[in-house]
Amino acid sequence: MGSKAQELTIEEIEKMKQESLSSKEIIDKIIKSHKSFHNKTVYSQEKYLNRKKQKFAKYFTVEYLSSSNLLQFLIDKGDIQRVLDMSQESMGMLLNLANIQSGGSYLCMDETGGLLVYFLLERMFGGDNGSKSKGKVVVIHENEHANLDLLKFANYSEKFIKEHVHTISLLVFF
């Protein structure tokens, strides 16, 4: 009965999708071409609409990547060596024992590609790129340049990172 009630063919619906019609326009046309849509109960109509929205309305939500989520992603990816076998619990304990808080100045050696600095910045500035809080992180590194590659996933601007994250070579430090 369902296929007989719908006058639009699959090919016509696919053509509408290729023409880049919005999902709302496609669903409206499907409903208009449905012979018995108006005979359905209100509950049945809503159920039908929800099924069509799930099928044709494609959308996604962008969420903030917290340092904990980044750590979990790296663990799930199997990059255990990069995070030096740290867990969220050990990172939380490290931040608490170091008494990391807003406005402080901290010296750290990050061998995790910037994950530790990511955690520090999140604890100090709450993920807010426009934070007026003062504070800085000085990163000691062994190589020519500090490896803070994971900071590219942070919500912080390049200017903000340059203002609050300073690097110094281990040789210069000693």
Side-chain angles (χ1 to χ4, degrees):
M1 166 132 182
S3 62
K4 294 177 184 171
Q6 182 56 257
E7 293 177 343
L8 277 177
T9 65
I10 294 172
E11 292 80 23
E12 290 172 327
I13 294 171
E14 286 299 320
K15 186 178 177 190
M16 285 190 283
K17 285 167 48 177
Q18 289 174 355
E19 292 172 355
S20 299
L21 289 178
S22 72
S23 60
K24 185 177 180 346
E25 292 172 324
I26 293 173
I27 293 170
D28 287 343
K29 287 186 180 189
I30 290 173
I31 290 170
K32 285 178 186 172
S33 67
H34 197 284
K35 291 179 186 174
S36 62
F37 183 77
H38 64 281
N39 294 336
K40 295 179 182 243
T41 64
V42 173
Y43 173 75
S44 207
Q45 286 179 351
E46 292 212 12
K47 198 167 124 181
Y48 182 82
L49 280 172
N50 285 336
R51 275 198 328 266
K52 296 304 173 192
K53 283 179 185 173
Q54 278 183 325
K55 186 171 184 176
F56 296 108
K58 304 293 183 198
Y59 57 92
F60 64 93
T61 305
V62 178
E63 294 183 6
Y64 170 70
L65 180 63
S66 69
S67 52
S68 295
N69 288 342
L70 179 61
L71 175 60
Q72 192 59 49
F73 169 76
L74 292 170
I75 291 170
D76 292 345
K77 188 176 128 184
D79 215 349
I80 303 297
Q81 286 295 103
R82 182 175 195 167
V83 297
L84 302 175
D85 294 317
M86 284 191 285
S87 65
Q88 291 182 19
E89 293 81 14
S90 62
M91 188 58 84
M93 188 183 327
L94 178 84
L95 294 172
N96 284 333
L97 290 173
N99 196 22
I100 306 298
Q101 51 189 317
S102 181
S105 294
Y106 302 99
L107 177 69
C108 76
M109 186 166 199
D110 188 350
E111 294 295 320
T112 61
L115 184 64
L116 178 59
V117 175
Y118 198 120
F119 269 93
L120 289 168
L121 290 175
E122 188 174 66
R123 177 70 67 97
M124 293 168 64
F125 302 105
D128 182 15
N129 196 31
S131 176
K132 301 296 179 198
S133 178
K134 299 294 175 202
K136 69 178 176 180
V137 177
V138 178
V139 181
I140 299 176
H141 56 90
E142 296 176 322
N143 304 320
E144 187 177 341
H145 301 288
N147 180 9
L148 301 175
D149 197 36
L150 292 175
L151 288 183
K152 68 183 173 193
F153 299 115
N155 215 19
Y156 303 112
S157 67
E158 208 48 51
K159 178 183 175 228
F160 185 87
I161 291 173
K162 283 182 181 177
E163 187 177 317
H164 296 284
V165 178
H166 306 282
T167 61
I168 185 168
S169 167
L170 194 60
L171 295 173
V172 172
F173 181 73
F174 286 115

